[in-house]
Amino acid sequence: MSVNLKMKNFRYNRSFSVIGNYLYILPFMFFFIVFFAFPVFQGLYISFTEWRVAGQPIYVGLKNYIELFHDRLFYTTLKNTLIYVLEFFPLSVIIPLLLAVAINRYIIGLDFFKFALVAPMVVSVSAVGLIWKWMFNTTFGLINYYLEKVGIHGPNWFMDPKFAMLAIVLTSLWWGIGWNLIIFSAGIKNIPQELYEAAQIDGANRWACFWYITLPNLTQTLLFITVTGLIGSFRVFGQVYVLTNGGPYDSTRTLVFYIYDNGFRYFKMGYASSISWILFIIILGITLLQFKYLKGWGEQQ
Amino acid sequence: MSIYKIVLLSVLLVFISRVALSAPLEINFWTCLGNVDGAVMGKLVDQFNKENPDIKVKSLQGYSTEKLMTAGLSGNLPEIILTRTSELSTFIGNNWVVPLPQEAIKVVGVRSQDFYPTAWKLCYYKGKQYAVPLDIHLLALWYNKKMFKEAGLNPVAPPRTLEDFVTYALKMNRPAEKKFGASIPTSGPWLFVWSFYTLLWQNGGDIFNADETKTLVNSPAGREALQWMVDLAKKLQVHQIDTEAGRTGRIGMWFDGPWVLTFWQESPIKSDVATAFYPQKDLKKPIVWAQSHIFTLSPNAIKDQARLEASVKFIKWISEHSINWAYAGQVPANNAVRNSKQFLTDPQLALLRTFAKELPAARYVQTTLPNFVEVQDKLVSKMEAAMAGKLPVDKALEEAEKEINDMLAKVKR
């Protein structure tokens, strides 16, 4: 009898706690569904329609997707996005990692550096664009001025399709590494100091400390930064919008920029939605691959 | 019912009706303006509200198309939208604006003879009036008098023909010292493409054929225009010099609109800056790119008569007070304002008066396409390729022509 009662109580508690858990996440779920899940699937529906903003969406089946595969500019924007990701993403991990190690392990107490490196992060993208537009100016810009001082004839940054994307990558790095730097710093702070002391007693040099202690202890942090950073770099938009407007000769027109153009400037909502879904599938695929191959990272140790 | 109750009730009724009657009619007004000119417009709106206590205009300076789109879909468009002539066909295509009800226009007294004719004409779309013009902005030549003097050129006799323009520019050009005779836009939309249109028209060409089914940019006139720009940039060795770079005092001449008036009036070289007519190929047939800010009404403005009349009254008031708007660097479309003593004599508007005198040369981009910007994007991209030397001029315009024509074939009219 008493056992039964206990069981009953247990069941009651458990079911209550299940409901309770749902109650806790209810506010989040509400906003998630209303502002995220619903629009995403609404977007999927719109991608099968022709919708010119005025009037109702007209169902056209796969027309948008078929048109997309014949759209030369779509491939250009896809290529540009990949170039940006391949140039920006590895640097946006490696540079802050090295800086974080340098600041936290070797220049201890110099919060100034940390502040200086993180500060650009809080500047709005339009201000960043205005600053760097002049920094990269071919004739009057600071960058070409200093390049000239060391004997290099600076390129025509925003006029030459070969260099425009590089300028965007460099601007993005200046603007964006602060975030990763904070995360890496937090990760490094969590590594027990004893590990380094033990290694030093064993005669390990700085490089060995970095390679065998810092890096293995940062795998979880690296996983987080790789996943979020890669998604973020696929969505590059603001810098392009302010710095080059997609030019010259479409060399900086990225996927998200093309979505914006189609949706909000050409008012082709259906077409814009189909590009969004292609981008979504690309990002989803890459994220799944990352989880599959990088999951073991944190567990090896 | 006791007498007290009746008295109390009637007092209350009178009070409520007074409040209801005296509450000003609220009108929303969104503009396409930026920080500087938006602030000037904001002040004008405040002044209107002070002088017209029965109407309260709430203004938003600098709408975005995203905002208009969502407002359009949810039926929350502002009653009045200030946009540009080149965007009118897009606004009509999106059902954001309605034809102006002619009775209301008559009742409030907005008359065609009060406005600059070309600007007034551009407010019509397929025979119906959709807008009232506020101003006209067109390109002209801005130049640095000091650099003229240094090169031995007469600072009060700037070049009038394209040929002279090149000669003058080369005389002032010292690329090794980072001094340039002229800056010419080499990328980006706006000034880049507006310069091209100006030259295209001067050469006798046009952007489209009569029914806008084909583009005419790949024509002798178009090729000559783009080649002129490419050659000039090469001759002067100018790369990516924005017109603002003139602030350094190292640029002799550049093309820009009147909207940069305050920018130059506050610049370190303000006493050296002057304006002149845009150089022409044929002085007998001067042509220069122009555009107007226009007031449009959304479907929400015609919901009831009072709202409609208040909206038109506001438009009329701003137009009549557009002398203040002139100080933001815009030529007023209202004839009385443009011919007023203040506009014709105030030294602060001296640079702007060049633009007013240039009005007979004004030519607008006339389009009925709902997605004209898409045409322009394709053109700009190929023009940039030519400027950067990635494509020869004829090949660039050939590609632009093909892409634009493919797009035009798909447009639903």
Side-chain angles (χ1 to χ4, degrees):
Chain A
M1 180 69 186
S2 68
V3 172
N4 249 347
L5 197 70
K6 258 187 193 162
M7 276 307 286
K8 223 176 172 181
N9 269 342
F10 176 70
R11 266 196 206 126
Y12 169 77
N13 278 340
R14 200 175 60 161
S15 61
F16 176 78
S17 77
V18 167
I19 294 171
N21 289 346
Y22 280 116
L23 274 175
Y24 282 125
I25 61 165
L26 187 68
F28 169 76
M29 285 310 284
F30 175 77
F31 288 106
F32 175 78
I33 289 167
V34 171
F35 291 110
F36 186 79
F38 175 71
V40 164
F41 287 98
Q42 175 82 356
L44 181 63
Y45 164 67
I46 290 171
S47 76
F48 294 114
T49 67
E50 200 172 287
W51 187 27
R52 292 207 52 101
V53 180
Q56 292 299 312
I58 304 158
Y59 182 77
V60 290
L62 286 170
K63 186 173 166 269
N64 287 328
Y65 289 93
I66 293 165
E67 202 173 309
L68 197 58
F69 288 112
H70 293 101
D71 184 353
R72 190 196 56 83
L73 200 49
F74 168 70
Y75 291 106
T76 309
T77 58
L78 184 63
K79 190 185 90 192
N80 292 340
T81 310
L82 290 176
I83 291 174
Y84 175 83
V85 171
L86 290 176
E87 286 179 358
F88 171 78
F89 173 67
L91 291 173
S92 77
V93 176
I94 294 165
I95 296 173
L97 174 64
L98 297 179
L99 285 172
V101 172
I103 288 169
N104 288 289
R105 299 243 0 114
Y106 304 113
I107 330 177
I108 298 160
L110 283 183
D111 280 342
F112 170 74
F113 284 100
K114 213 188 282 182
F115 171 75
L117 289 163
V118 173
M121 200 177 83
V122 300
V123 182
S124 80
V125 70
S126 31
V128 170
L130 274 177
I131 298 166
W132 285 88
K133 209 171 185 165
W134 282 107
M135 295 279 283
F136 280 116
N137 187 292
T138 311
T139 313
F140 297 111
L142 270 181
I143 291 177
N144 279 8
Y145 174 79
Y146 284 113
L147 283 177
E148 209 137 298
K149 290 259 163 186
V150 295
I152 301 168
H153 187 69
N156 237 332
W157 291 100
F158 292 131
M159 203 179 140
D160 190 335
K162 273 198 306 245
F163 288 96
M165 189 56 102
L166 183 62
I168 296 217
V169 168
L170 293 174
T171 307
S172 309
L173 281 174
W174 177 82
W175 186 44
I177 57 170
W179 174 251
N180 285 357
L181 184 69
I182 292 177
I183 312 245
F184 276 128
S185 295
I188 289 171
K189 286 243 166 74
N190 277 336
I191 303 172
Q193 196 60 32
E194 297 86 58
L195 291 176
Y196 291 102
E197 284 161 8
Q200 266 160 10
I201 291 165
D202 290 342
N205 61 11
R206 282 177 177 186
W207 174 247
C209 281
F210 173 74
W211 196 249
Y212 295 107
I213 300 172
T214 312
L215 211 50
N217 277 292
L218 281 179
T219 44
Q220 289 288 354
T221 318
L222 266 171
L223 181 68
F224 172 75
I225 282 179
T226 317
V227 173
T228 56
L230 207 56
I231 293 174
S233 33
F234 265 101
R235 298 197 312 195
V236 54
F237 173 75
Q239 302 92 305
V240 176
Y241 185 76
V242 204
L243 283 171
T244 61
N245 211 24
Y249 196 21
D250 298 323
S251 61
T252 58
R253 208 171 286 271
T254 59
L255 272 177
V256 177
F257 197 80
Y258 199 41
I259 294 170
Y260 173 83
D261 269 351
N262 274 293
F264 297 108
R265 289 183 65 237
Y266 312 156
F267 304 105
K268 295 176 177 171
M269 275 311 193
Y271 199 59
S273 300
S274 63
I275 309 169
S276 304
W277 265 83
I278 298 282
L279 178 63
F280 177 67
I281 290 164
I282 293 172
I283 292 179
L284 186 72
I286 288 173
T287 311
L288 289 177
L289 282 178
Q290 280 181 323
F291 272 113
K292 195 174 170 202
Y293 290 105
L294 305 182
K295 220 176 135 192
W297 272 19
E299 290 151 14
Q300 276 166 17
Q301 35 166 329
Chain B
M1 203 182 268
S2 74
I3 188 92
Y4 291 111
K5 273 187 184 165
I6 291 172
V7 169
L8 202 73
L9 208 70
S10 48
V11 166
L12 206 71
L13 263 174
V14 167
F15 182 73
I16 289 170
S17 61
R18 282 302 286 263
V19 169
L21 283 175
S22 67
L25 185 63
E26 204 175 282
I27 304 273
N28 282 295
F29 171 48
W30 290 3
T31 75
C32 59
L33 306 170
N35 287 339
V36 181
D37 46 4
V40 176
M41 184 54 79
K43 267 190 206 149
L44 265 172
V45 172
D46 290 344
Q47 198 189 329
F48 173 85
N49 284 337
K50 225 176 265 167
E51 289 181 21
N52 298 273
D54 53 328
I55 305 169
K56 188 177 185 324
V57 176
K58 281 173 88 179
S59 71
L60 170 87
Q61 307 301 333
Y63 63 67
S64 58
T65 37
E66 298 94 292
K67 207 171 159 70
L68 280 172
M69 232 164 98
T70 42
L73 288 171
S74 58
N76 290 322
L77 282 169
E79 282 84 355
I80 313 165
I81 311 170
L82 184 76
T83 181
R84 307 172 185 95
T85 41
S86 60
E87 282 168 62
L88 185 60
S89 55
T90 307
F91 275 50
I92 294 169
N94 291 348
N95 295 341
W96 290 343
V97 293
V98 290
L100 302 186
Q102 291 303 310
E103 318 84 58
I105 297 282
K106 250 182 226 134
V107 168
V108 182
V110 176
R111 302 174 308 171
S112 68
Q113 64 262 39
D114 293 335
F115 293 88
Y116 189 70
T118 319
W120 182 266
K121 214 179 81 199
L122 265 289
C123 292
Y124 279 74
Y125 180 90
K126 295 187 179 166
K128 279 186 193 151
Q129 188 191 0
Y130 276 85
V132 175
L134 168 64
D135 60 35
I136 306 112
H137 40 268
L138 57 171
L139 293 182
L141 179 73
W142 292 75
Y143 66 98
N144 184 327
K145 288 185 279 186
K146 200 172 151 211
M147 281 196 52
F148 267 58
K149 277 181 233 158
E150 279 169 7
L153 296 164
N154 184 355
V156 287
R160 295 182 64 205
T161 62
L162 288 173
E163 236 169 277
D164 285 350
F165 174 81
V166 179
T167 318
Y168 278 51
L170 287 170
K171 264 192 189 155
M172 289 184 275
N173 213 42
R174 309 262 184 286
E177 300 163 33
K178 291 214 190 300
K179 280 197 169 187
F180 298 90
S183 101
I184 164 158
T186 46
S187 64
W190 319 135
L191 285 174
F192 185 44
V193 78
W194 295 336
S195 302
F196 175 73
Y197 295 155
T198 301
L199 296 168
L200 173 75
W201 289 330
Q202 287 192 8
N203 292 339
D206 207 343
I207 308 169
F208 299 112
N209 61 355
D211 55 359
E212 285 188 282
T213 49
K214 291 264 181 314
T215 177
L216 303 176
V217 290
N218 185 27
S219 56
R223 288 191 288 270
E224 191 187 326
L226 187 54
Q227 193 67 54
W228 189 85
M229 292 171 79
V230 172
D231 290 347
L232 183 66
K234 218 177 269 171
K235 271 185 222 158
L236 301 175
Q237 300 179 41
V238 297
H239 304 295
Q240 189 205 325
I241 301 176
D242 297 296
T243 52
E244 290 92 345
R247 261 179 103 93
T248 55
R250 292 167 173 277
I251 314 284
M253 303 178 280
W254 60 96
F255 303 122
D256 213 333
W259 53 83
V260 288
L261 181 73
T262 50
F263 176 82
W264 289 108
Q265 280 170 342
E266 287 156 14
S267 79
I269 59 158
K270 57 185 169 208
S271 51
D272 299 327
V273 176
T275 50
F277 292 168
Y278 199 104
Q280 297 292 328
K281 186 181 183 188
D282 181 355
L283 284 170
K284 279 185 222 125
K285 281 185 277 172
I287 297 176
V288 65
W289 170 91
Q291 189 174 256
S292 283
H293 283 118
I294 51 176
F295 292 104
T296 56
L297 294 184
S298 84
N300 283 344
I302 52 168
K303 270 189 186 156
D304 61 78
Q305 199 59 25
R307 198 162 286 276
L308 172 61
E309 273 174 26
S311 303
V312 181
K313 191 177 160 193
F314 171 76
I315 293 173
K316 188 181 180 224
W317 189 95
I318 296 280
S319 171
E320 283 167 353
H321 292 74
S322 56
I323 185 69
N324 296 338
W325 180 237
Y327 290 93
Q330 299 286 351
V331 180
N334 189 307
N335 293 337
V337 175
R338 208 173 53 254
N339 296 323
S340 68
K341 198 170 164 249
Q342 191 178 354
F343 185 82
L344 294 174
T345 55
D346 188 347
Q348 231 190 309
L349 297 176
L351 293 175
L352 187 65
R353 280 194 285 276
T354 310
F355 290 87
K357 284 182 204 142
E358 204 189 17
L359 279 183
R363 179 150 172 190
Y364 288 66
V365 171
Q366 271 176 291
T367 177
T368 52
L369 292 173
N371 55 341
F372 177 69
V373 278
E374 200 177 350
V375 172
Q376 196 160 281
D377 282 357
K378 297 208 182 300
L379 177 61
V380 165
S381 159
K382 307 301 176 216
M383 282 171 60
E384 283 171 344
M387 288 314 268
K390 295 283 154 192
L391 287 178
V393 164
D394 50 350
K395 187 91 182 78
L397 288 175
E398 202 185 297
E399 277 190 21
E401 179 190 37
K402 195 189 165 296
E403 285 186 17
I404 294 170
N405 283 346
D406 283 353
M407 202 209 80
L408 291 177
K410 283 186 219 154
V411 172
K412 290 209 177 91
R413 288 154 208 271

